[in-house]
Amino acid sequence: MAVFMTSNQRLSRAGFRRAPVNAPARVRVCVRLRPGVGTGQGQDAPCVRGVGSHSLEILNWRNEMEMMKYHFDAFYGETSTQHDIYMGSVQPFLRHLLEGQNASILAYGPTGAGKTHTMLGSPDQPGVIPRAVRDVLQMTRDASGDEWKYSVSMSYLEIYQEKVLDLLEPSLRDLPIREDCNHHILVPGLTQKPIMNFSDFESYFLPASCNRTVAPTQLNQRSSRSHAVLLLWVSQTQGWPPYARRAAKLCLIDLAGSENNRRTGNQGLRLKESGAINTSLFVLSKVVDALNQGLPRVPYRDSKLTRLLQDSLGGSAHSLIIANIAPEKRYYFDTLTSLNFAAKSKQVVNKPFMQETLPEIAAPKRPSADSSDEGPEAKRPCSEEKKLNVVEEKPLSSLLPLENLEPALVQRLLRLEALEKGTESGNRGLPLLNTPRKERLVLQKQIEEKWRELQSLTEKQQEMEAKQEHAPAKLRKQAVVLPFKQAQTPEKTEEEEEIIIIKQKGKGRKRKPLAPNSENKAPPEWEVTMRPDLLTRSKGNILALLNTGSEKDLMNLHRIGKKTAQLIVAWRDLHGLFKKVEDLAEVEGVSKKQVASFLKANILTTIGNIE
Ligand code: ADP
Ligand code: MG
């Protein structure tokens, strides 16, 4: 395994410029073209060429006479060295670490295009990783003084078939990915090793690299079958009050390449691995699209890779993407895909911020370095320390007694809360920061309106509940109708005794509404059982109405139409009062059968009067 020694480059402290906190930072993108291999003829013939230090041209597949031009933050041609790339695009990023801000450097491109060569390199051509580690160690040593003391630790993981594996501790497989209250992504349980110098780093990194999953494919003898992520933690502690602490993370990622399985000749396990790799790269592309379009849902959670990169893309880190491409024609469509991904990635804007914490009780002296195996991120997310400029907001649901609310209302509240947090969008915690300002304002307005609506609904609900509590018990009693048999039971409660039992004879017969004055239709056969005293009182009420009611009052009775009501009033004028309800049969055109049916129909409705 390689031992990485680089030429002497030193960073001077004077070179650091303090970046304004919370200033937006666009994702930087550079492209590296590897030297051509093969005969240079046919499929090995080149289809890409550089144009200056920022642009390149590629053949237009629709018309070979045409070239398509792409412009990036930097372009490194076939003759460029590891040193050129490191000094030109990578090293300027490292200063952010000393400012307590995160940085990410990511190699992207198809298998065989030079990602691992760029990130790792070889003993005689060390890549970004060994150079960056050496410089970070040097920088922190140089910057350590009375005011700030620095320490560095490292973690190394790979994402293989959607599982996070700890390369420093291979027994730890499928670790979870979480987000702390500051929206930093972390992997609880991941091993962190403190490193004081470059040999410490090599002693962990070289054996761990052997744990990486690689396999030969037709395009690359040691094709990376996983995404490899090296994490460098830079912690700094203030030497005097208020003993502030800052933590920054450098994320160095060597992605597995997108693969065309026909070209790689993948089968079986290789094909399965390739499926996982291609899926995660597809999600990565969707994440960039969503960020560029300012969509409310960014699908970070759709793959482990994008979840891990959440703070690198659209999040809190300064990010650099190195797109590696190959010049040969047989790579043409892979190259085109990589260039398009790179082009759209440079529109993504991150919001880096300094991560500074103060100890809750100012200790006279804090340890200057994390001497344990556990780095700052291995601690409980958002531990006992007080965050600067962070206002802890309570979730909406905690402000309301959910158990007292209607389920539909609770669901609405939780949905609203999810929208506010951005969990529905997969962009948890920073849902609005990634969208353009205009759309953000609209979303904020919508949330405020929903919140107001929710509050008024809650108030209404509470009012209704209060009313229900004070409502008289009798109201509820009246609605009770018991089955026939139950009413026959000898022991009746006071409440049950007041109940009238009705049973329709003949199963399944439907009750037909009676037309007023319908002479010929037979009344339905109803069997009514009623306490005799209630029956008498009910009849008395009907009789009173028949004797005193106006035409309109009479029409309020069941089975009395306008014509019958007029006849009743006319009968009254002629004969005086009805002596009993059954006398109704004396009215012209009203039969005894109709009177019986009239009685049955009206006895129930006069109960209210009896009560
Ligand atoms: P990837 O990681 O993208 O699959 P590698 O980094 O493994 O590709 O590169 C494939 C082969 O090409 C390796 O043998 C590597 O040494 C070689 N290679 C890639 N880029 C360069 C370069 N810029 N200069 C020289 N050789 C390179
Ligand atoms: Mg590789």
Side-chain angles (χ1 to χ4, degrees):
M1 183 46 75
V3 177
F4 304 109
M5 292 307 295
T6 61
S7 57
N8 280 337
Q9 307 128 12
R10 292 285 180 266
L11 286 178
S12 70
R13 275 182 80 185
F16 301 135
R17 194 174 51 82
R18 193 160 286 271
V21 174
N22 282 342
R26 185 173 59 73
V27 169
R28 301 275 145 182
V29 178
C30 66
V31 172
R32 183 181 197 184
L33 177 65
R34 78 150 159 70
V37 289
T39 59
Q41 305 293 316
Q43 284 298 297
D44 286 344
C47 62
V48 194
R49 68 161 180 249
V51 187
S53 57
H54 293 280
S55 307
L56 62 94
E57 284 181 340
I58 181 167
L59 281 176
N60 185 345
W61 59 280
R62 290 190 189 90
N63 176 3
E64 289 222 357
M65 303 303 286
E66 260 179 39
M67 298 295 274
M68 294 183 289
K69 199 168 178 180
Y70 286 82
H71 187 86
F72 296 100
D73 293 303
F75 169 73
Y76 299 96
E78 290 165 272
T79 54
S80 60
T81 63
Q82 305 278 57
H83 175 78
D84 295 338
I85 290 164
Y86 180 74
M87 291 308 284
S89 292
V90 178
Q91 202 202 44
F93 263 68
L94 304 183
R95 65 185 169 85
H96 298 300
L97 298 170
L98 296 202
E99 294 162 345
Q101 299 184 15
N102 295 339
S104 293
I105 293 155
L106 166 87
Y108 183 94
T111 297
K115 297 178 297 297
T116 305
H117 178 78
T118 299
M119 293 307 284
L120 200 58
S122 57
D124 44 336
Q125 294 181 62
V128 167
I129 290 177
R131 287 168 193 263
V133 171
R134 202 189 55 96
D135 275 351
V136 167
L137 286 165
Q138 187 60 49
M139 278 160 56
T140 51
R141 260 196 301 272
D142 288 349
S144 273
D146 288 343
E147 187 183 359
W148 292 101
K149 289 203 163 39
Y150 290 84
S151 63
V152 181
S153 57
M154 65 172 277
S155 300
Y156 193 24
L157 64 88
E158 72 171 354
I159 302 176
Y160 176 68
Q161 291 202 37
E162 284 302 279
K163 285 191 171 71
V164 177
L165 317 179
D166 188 342
L167 289 170
L168 293 178
E169 189 51 72
S171 61
L172 296 176
R173 309 180 79 81
D174 201 9
L175 292 168
I177 302 177
R178 301 256 186 274
E179 186 180 359
D180 74 6
C181 62
N182 284 325
H183 314 298
H184 290 119
I185 298 298
L186 48 102
V187 182
L190 184 68
T191 309
Q192 289 194 13
K193 298 284 186 192
I195 49 173
M196 311 295 280
N197 49 47
F198 195 77
S199 10
D200 284 349
F201 167 73
E202 280 186 314
S203 68
Y204 296 125
F205 184 78
L206 298 183
S209 296
C210 300
N211 297 329
R212 265 201 81 179
T213 315
V214 291
T217 70
Q218 282 175 19
L219 296 182
N220 188 343
Q221 266 311 296
R222 278 185 60 80
S223 169
S224 317
R225 312 310 296 158
S226 64
H227 308 298
V229 183
L230 176 76
L231 296 161
L232 273 195
W233 315 99
V234 177
S235 313
Q236 59 187 102
T237 315
Q238 206 171 17
W240 50 66
Y243 304 106
R245 302 186 86 193
R246 291 180 189 166
K249 171 178 75 177
L250 175 64
C251 208
L252 299 161
I253 305 149
D254 177 15
L255 290 181
S258 55
E259 290 183 347
N260 180 329
N261 287 313
R262 262 178 302 183
R263 281 204 300 114
T264 47
N266 285 338
Q267 284 176 336
L269 179 61
R270 295 287 91 83
L271 197 65
K272 208 173 153 203
E273 290 166 348
S274 172
I277 296 167
N278 287 346
T279 305
S280 57
L281 293 173
F282 175 65
V283 178
L284 180 62
S285 174
K286 282 203 309 185
V287 163
V288 172
D289 286 338
L291 288 169
N292 286 342
Q293 290 163 29
L295 296 183
R297 183 181 185 273
V298 181
Y300 290 116
R301 286 162 187 260
D302 290 3
S303 81
K304 290 277 165 66
L305 173 69
T306 47
R307 182 71 167 133
L308 200 72
L309 290 179
Q310 190 167 338
D311 47 15
S312 308
L313 289 169
S316 60
H318 295 269
S319 296
L320 169 72
I321 293 177
I322 306 173
N324 289 90
I325 55 170
E328 298 87 17
K329 260 188 178 171
R330 68 192 142 94
Y331 277 91
Y332 181 79
F333 284 104
D334 288 326
T335 303
L336 212 55
T337 311
S338 300
L339 290 176
N340 288 334
F341 173 79
K344 66 185 181 187
S345 298
K346 63 181 187 174
Q347 291 167 39
V348 174
V349 176
N350 288 357
K351 274 224 157 191
F353 60 88
M354 181 194 288
Q355 231 203 124
E356 187 168 88
T357 57
L358 288 179
E360 211 155 67
I361 304 156
K365 190 128 189 154
R366 306 280 307 192
S368 63
D370 275 304
S371 51
S372 71
D373 272 6
E374 296 207 330
E377 297 271 332
K379 288 175 189 136
R380 269 187 304 126
C382 301
S383 58
E384 73 288 347
E385 293 182 326
K386 192 172 117 196
K387 276 67 191 177
L388 284 188
N389 306 323
V390 178
V391 183
E392 282 282 338
E393 280 193 24
K394 280 188 177 182
L396 297 180
S397 52
S398 74
L399 303 174
L400 291 167
L402 293 189
E403 65 281 3
N404 296 337
L405 296 182
E406 268 182 12
L409 195 63
V410 172
Q411 262 184 8
R412 228 166 142 187
L413 170 68
L414 292 177
R415 266 211 311 275
L416 181 69
E417 192 174 301
L419 177 70
E420 197 195 42
K421 277 199 210 159
T423 45
E424 272 194 348
S425 69
N427 186 17
R428 207 168 154 224
L430 283 173
L432 306 178
L433 291 182
N434 303 322
T435 48
R437 192 169 176 271
K438 219 170 166 186
E439 201 175 322
R440 216 159 68 209
L441 291 175
V442 175
L443 278 172
Q444 270 173 351
K445 217 170 164 191
Q446 277 176 3
I447 289 175
E448 277 166 23
E449 272 167 21
K450 292 267 179 233
W451 174 236
R452 272 197 293 275
E453 197 187 325
L454 189 68
Q455 272 184 324
S456 78
L457 279 171
T458 313
E459 278 164 20
K460 267 187 200 159
Q461 163 126 5
Q462 280 165 354
E463 257 174 47
M464 278 165 66
E465 277 172 2
K467 270 186 196 165
Q468 233 177 357
E469 267 171 33
H470 296 109
K474 269 196 173 174
L475 267 174
R476 272 171 244 141
K477 222 201 274 181
Q478 284 184 343
V480 179
V481 176
L482 291 180
F484 185 70
K485 270 187 186 164
Q486 203 173 330
Q488 299 290 319
T489 50
E491 290 140 22
K492 289 178 188 166
T493 63
E494 204 185 311
E495 183 186 324
E496 282 168 345
E497 278 200 88
E498 287 175 6
I499 294 165
I500 296 159
I501 294 96
I502 311 166
K503 185 189 172 195
Q504 189 172 8
K505 274 187 181 173
K507 248 188 173 179
R509 273 179 68 176
K510 280 194 176 170
R511 186 181 171 182
K512 286 181 196 160
L514 276 182
N517 286 336
S518 63
E519 301 280 7
N520 305 320
K521 283 178 189 163
E525 293 172 84
W526 289 94
E527 194 181 275
V528 177
T529 308
M530 194 175 184
R531 256 173 45 201
D533 56 328
L534 289 183
L535 189 63
T536 313
R537 279 163 65 190
S538 178
K539 274 186 175 178
N541 280 344
I542 297 172
L543 185 62
L545 198 62
L546 286 175
N547 285 330
T548 57
S550 65
E551 241 179 68
K552 217 173 164 190
D553 295 335
L554 293 170
M555 278 165 68
N556 282 334
L557 288 165
H558 291 288
R559 296 174 186 258
I560 302 286
K562 194 173 179 188
K563 201 176 158 195
T564 315
Q566 282 171 351
L567 286 170
I568 292 170
V569 174
W571 191 91
R572 254 177 11 206
D573 291 344
L574 224 86
H575 304 282
L577 299 178
F578 294 98
K579 290 192 182 64
K580 50 186 193 305
V581 181
E582 283 76 9
D583 289 348
L584 197 58
E586 290 175 18
V587 176
E588 197 189 341
V590 179
S591 68
K592 280 191 179 168
K593 245 183 177 178
Q594 273 182 303
V595 173
S597 137
F598 162 81
L599 268 174
K600 283 172 187 170
N602 287 287
I603 274 170
L604 287 177
T605 49
T606 52
I607 290 171
N609 301 337
I610 296 166
E611 295 275 306

